[in-house]
Amino acid sequence: GAGVSQSPSNKVTEKGKDVELRCDPISGHTALYWYRQSLGQGLEFLIYFQGNSAPDKSGLPSDRFSAERTGGSVSTLTIQRTQQEDSAVYLCASSRRAQGEWGTEAFFGQGTRLTVV
Amino acid sequence: AQKVTQAQTEISVVEKEDVTLDCVYETRDTTYYLFWYKQPPSGELVFLIRRNSFDEQNEISGRYSWNFQKSTSSFNFTITASQVVDSAVYFCALSEGSGGSNYKLTFGKGTLLTVNP
């Protein structure tokens, strides 16, 4: 597709349930990022993929959060046993950034708004 | 540690007014990139500009202009003759050039700009 695509756009889940958020990056972009946007914390980095590997998972807030990327393309962010504080907009971005390169602009999707009730 | 401060939480102007959005950054790195993104109500972050730390030339793109001053660690954004379509949240962001985390964006909290007709 022309841009970064995320699904679902909105997700309401009950506390304690698991959720999966999907990201389709721009074709050919090797780097993929997940960020979280919440009222109190602003935009926070979660995880970075280069190809299928994740050299930096330092932003994942707890071990309930995990992410994978397959085929150097689609990525899934999974949150297990969701809590109310997980409610936020989860944004995915991709860039042409090669390993070691810096400053390439990232293109963002429209995000998934997660509400945990 | 790097930090981006956008002191203006909300700004409201009347159409055709000029408006400046402030951004102050902190970094120990001598090489870094600065970015501005626009987030309209639809949610995706739209890339506006990228500047590296070696280039202090101001930039103009249509009604948009950016003033980068290393002496004050600022990267301010001015919209001339604002329009209703400029209403959005604007984010300033920083990525450090050296070290192992040059892919990561550190965002300010954002400035909500409302342009009234």
Side-chain angles (χ1 to χ4, degrees):
Chain A
V4 178
S5 177
Q6 292 187 245
S7 60
S9 54
N10 280 284
K11 177 72 176 179
V12 180
T13 189
E14 291 180 354
K15 179 180 170 182
K17 294 282 178 71
D18 298 352
V19 295
E20 284 189 353
L21 312 180
R22 177 187 169 101
C23 172
D24 278 283
I26 293 172
S27 178
H29 280 193
T30 57
L32 185 146
Y33 320 81
W34 284 96
Y35 285 81
R36 180 168 73 172
Q37 185 175 20
S38 56
L39 275 175
Q41 300 300 320
L43 274 154
E44 306 171 279
F45 167 83
L46 296 179
I47 187 169
Y48 155 62
F49 286 93
Q50 185 63 245
N52 290 336
S53 64
D56 188 349
K57 307 178 184 179
S58 63
L60 295 178
S62 76
D63 59 8
R64 296 186 295 104
F65 288 71
S66 63
E68 65 175 13
R69 189 179 185 194
T70 55
S73 181
V74 172
S75 176
T76 303
L77 177 68
T78 301
I79 309 173
Q80 296 178 309
R81 304 182 303 282
T82 51
Q83 303 294 314
Q84 287 186 328
E85 61 262 28
D86 300 333
S87 296
V89 176
Y90 290 82
L91 289 162
C92 177
S94 69
S95 76
R96 287 178 287 111
R97 182 189 183 277
Q99 188 68 38
E101 186 182 343
W102 63 289
T104 53
E105 63 266 34
F107 295 85
F108 283 79
Q110 292 186 315
T112 294
R113 182 176 297 278
L114 175 66
T115 304
V116 182
V117 297
Chain B
Q2 52 190 347
K3 183 180 178 183
V4 176
T5 301
Q6 294 179 256
Q8 304 148 309
T9 306
E10 293 186 39
I11 300 177
S12 181
V13 299
V14 177
E15 206 169 18
K16 297 185 184 176
E17 284 185 23
D18 298 348
V19 58
T20 296
L21 310 181
D22 297 334
C23 173
V24 174
Y25 62 92
E26 295 175 31
T27 177
R28 287 176 290 189
D29 220 338
T30 55
T31 56
Y32 49 89
Y33 267 103
L34 294 162
F35 301 79
W36 276 95
Y37 281 86
K38 173 182 179 180
Q39 187 176 43
S42 54
E44 81 278 20
L45 285 165
V46 178
F47 167 80
L48 295 178
I49 190 171
R50 173 189 61 183
R51 302 296 284 174
N52 73 55
S53 53
F54 302 116
D55 184 0
E56 282 193 78
Q57 277 193 329
N58 291 331
E59 179 148 345
I60 298 174
S61 175
R63 296 183 298 106
Y64 295 170
S65 62
W66 290 270
N67 183 351
F68 176 28
Q69 291 195 337
K70 288 178 76 170
S71 60
T72 56
S73 297
S74 65
F75 186 44
N76 296 339
F77 172 31
T78 297
I79 302 174
T80 303
S82 59
Q83 300 176 2
V84 173
V85 294
D86 296 327
S87 297
V89 180
Y90 290 86
F91 290 94
C92 181
L94 166 74
S95 77
E96 292 180 335
S98 61
S101 60
N102 57 12
Y103 46 82
K104 190 183 300 186
L105 289 169
T106 297
F107 286 89
K109 297 287 190 187
T111 297
L112 172 62
L113 174 65
T114 302
V115 181
N116 299 298

